[in-house]
Amino acid sequence: MPLFAVASFAIAAACGGGAAPLVGKDQLAKQANIRASCDAAERGHDDPFTVEWDATDVASFEAHAQRDTVLVSYHGCDLQVLASCADPKLPGSLGAYGAPAFTSGGERSLDIQNEGELYTSLPLGAAKLGARVSGGESLRLRYFVSGVATTSRSAIYRDDVAKLSGCSGATHFVAGYNIGAFVIETMQKRAASGGVEAAGVGAGGSTASSEKGLGAGGRIDTCGSAAKEQCRVPIRLHLRKISDGSAPASTTTVDPASQGAPSSLEEFAAWANRIEIVKGEARKKLAAGDAKACLVSLDVDLGFKAHEGVRLQTQASMAMIYEGQFLQLKAECQARAGDCTTATATMKDAIRLDAMGNDIQMPGRGFKEDAEKQIAAGAAADRLKSACGAKK
């Protein structure tokens, strides 16, 4: 069975996979009901629990999520993580997850009394747990959400996926996932034979045996502790469909407040603050390992040239220095995205702008001449060594 495939042969046959054996009328009706339930789950359940995963499944998912956004093939009762759907040479080419954001959380429970509730609440567990529920058992899922990890991408496009091997059949990407711990408990229902039993509800009713563990992930009893070391298992995915076509050709936006030279020191300070906000968002993307999303964040017209033309020399020089710093970050993102040639050219522009700004503030010091000497000696490439190696 492929990695993470959770549907049994019977479910797969009913939901479109493989050739079903010859069956009677009752079995055909049951398969039709299963198919309808799976279809309904696919239409209305983009946040499935993953409590049916075993330790190997969890470890593989976590390893993949540390490198790239996870893409999956999802069809209602069946979810398959496409572990090979990635660019082996460029981690994070389709985005990456930041560090989990931890929350105070709280334990919650989910009771499942029949097959209808099973398909509604735990569609991925239908193959594993369906026989128990149809056999008269009720289930209780106790879980604790301690945090969430989200990817740096708000959308992934079909044309980007088509360029990568191992992505055949991809339908969704995991936009985020909850971490925590869980326990599944089961109770066996029995018909009461008459009279009132100690654990029963009287003649004609039903009784239940003591609860017993059916599965668990992490240790839910540690979730209230400060460390929560064993309360960080992926327990629920938040899926988003892959968008048709290609990413927009240009995501450039213009900051209307940045157009034209500032008329006051206050306006100039506000403009400089907007630059820092844009750079901060880009750094977050880069820190998450998503260099392409970093470039998207920087693809905004902040009106640098207009601010270089202000009358006050101090403001003009600062505008050049700000733009140089902006381009340094852009060069690093370009390098991390695999385009070291463009990154080196951008870094050269950054070095020159920084020197021009300093020359305005401190004339006669020869900053521009020194910058050209540094560039000729390979300074731009040296600053990108960690991303591009020792290439000049």
Side-chain angles (χ1 to χ4, degrees):
M1 183 180 294
L3 182 64
F4 292 104
V6 299
S8 67
F9 177 78
I11 298 291
C15 293
L22 294 175
V23 294
K25 184 185 296 184
D26 291 343
Q27 185 64 19
L28 285 173
K30 184 175 182 179
Q31 289 182 356
N33 289 334
I34 291 173
R35 184 185 302 112
S37 298
C38 290
D39 290 345
E42 183 177 355
R43 289 193 300 270
H45 210 308
D46 287 339
D47 303 292
F49 284 97
T50 57
V51 295
E52 82 290 344
W53 285 0
D54 61 23
T56 301
D57 295 337
V58 171
S60 297
F61 175 85
E62 289 178 322
H64 189 32
Q66 288 174 7
R67 186 183 188 277
D68 294 281
T69 297
V70 178
L71 275 76
V72 303
S73 173
Y74 176 55
H75 300 286
C77 295
D78 177 70
L79 183 143
Q80 211 173 338
V81 171
L82 303 177
S84 59
C85 181
D87 186 338
K89 297 181 180 179
L90 185 61
S93 64
L94 293 177
Y97 301 99
F102 289 99
T103 60
S104 57
E107 184 176 327
R108 297 188 178 185
S109 63
L110 182 65
D111 290 331
I112 297 172
Q113 304 291 338
N114 53 56
E115 289 183 276
E117 293 178 353
L118 176 62
Y119 284 108
T120 299
S121 302
L122 298 177
L124 301 187
K128 181 177 180 180
L129 304 172
R132 289 181 174 274
V133 175
S134 63
E137 295 183 42
S138 62
L139 305 176
R140 171 168 291 177
L141 170 65
R142 294 193 295 117
Y143 64 96
F144 191 109
V145 174
S146 62
V148 61
T150 55
T151 185
S152 53
R153 295 296 177 89
S154 59
I156 291 179
Y157 292 86
R158 180 64 57 188
D159 288 355
D160 292 331
V161 174
K163 298 174 184 177
L164 301 175
S165 61
C167 294
S168 177
T171 60
H172 297 70
F173 68 97
V174 181
Y177 60 93
N178 291 117
I179 57 175
F182 72 91
V183 173
I184 300 180
E185 298 166 331
T186 178
M187 295 185 296
Q188 180 68 49
K189 298 177 182 178
R190 298 190 303 268
S193 58
V196 179
E197 298 186 12
V201 294
S206 63
T207 62
S209 65
S210 60
E211 296 177 354
K212 60 180 180 179
L214 183 60
R219 284 186 55 186
I220 200 168
D221 59 321
T222 69
C223 292
S225 66
K228 297 183 180 180
E229 290 297 333
Q230 298 186 62
C231 190
R232 300 180 181 182
V233 176
I235 62 173
R236 193 170 194 176
L237 308 181
H238 303 289
L239 305 178
R240 193 170 294 170
K241 287 186 177 180
I242 297 172
S243 301
D244 292 332
S246 303
S250 175
T251 58
T252 301
T253 57
V254 177
D255 181 356
S258 72
Q259 303 307 296
S263 59
S264 66
L265 289 175
E266 290 78 9
E267 185 178 332
F268 187 88
W271 170 77
N273 186 59
R274 284 194 294 274
I275 295 173
E276 291 306 313
I277 291 174
V278 171
K279 287 167 59 180
E281 289 299 314
R283 287 195 186 97
K284 288 180 183 178
K285 305 295 186 184
L286 187 61
D290 192 348
K292 290 186 177 180
C294 173
L295 291 172
V296 171
S297 295
L298 295 176
D299 191 14
V300 54
D301 185 355
L302 289 168
F304 284 113
K305 298 306 178 184
H307 288 78
E308 289 173 12
V310 297
R311 292 183 179 180
L312 292 177
Q313 286 190 338
T314 301
Q315 291 184 23
S317 66
M318 289 304 298
M320 293 176 186
I321 292 172
Y322 287 149
E323 185 174 7
Q325 294 172 348
F326 185 89
L327 290 180
Q328 286 187 47
L329 178 57
K330 185 175 183 179
E332 186 174 356
C333 294
Q334 290 169 334
R336 296 290 180 187
D339 190 354
C340 290
T341 300
T342 301
T344 302
T346 302
M347 185 62 77
K348 289 178 181 179
D349 290 340
I351 294 172
R352 291 185 176 109
L353 276 165
D354 185 69
M356 289 168 62
N358 282 308
D359 255 346
I360 293 175
Q361 291 190 13
M362 295 174 282
R365 298 284 296 271
F367 288 103
K368 288 188 288 187
E369 290 79 4
D370 287 345
E372 292 302 329
K373 292 178 181 177
Q374 292 175 26
I375 290 172
D382 287 341
R383 294 187 186 187
L384 298 170
K385 272 187 178 180
S386 62
C388 296
K391 295 180 181 179
K392 297 292 183 182

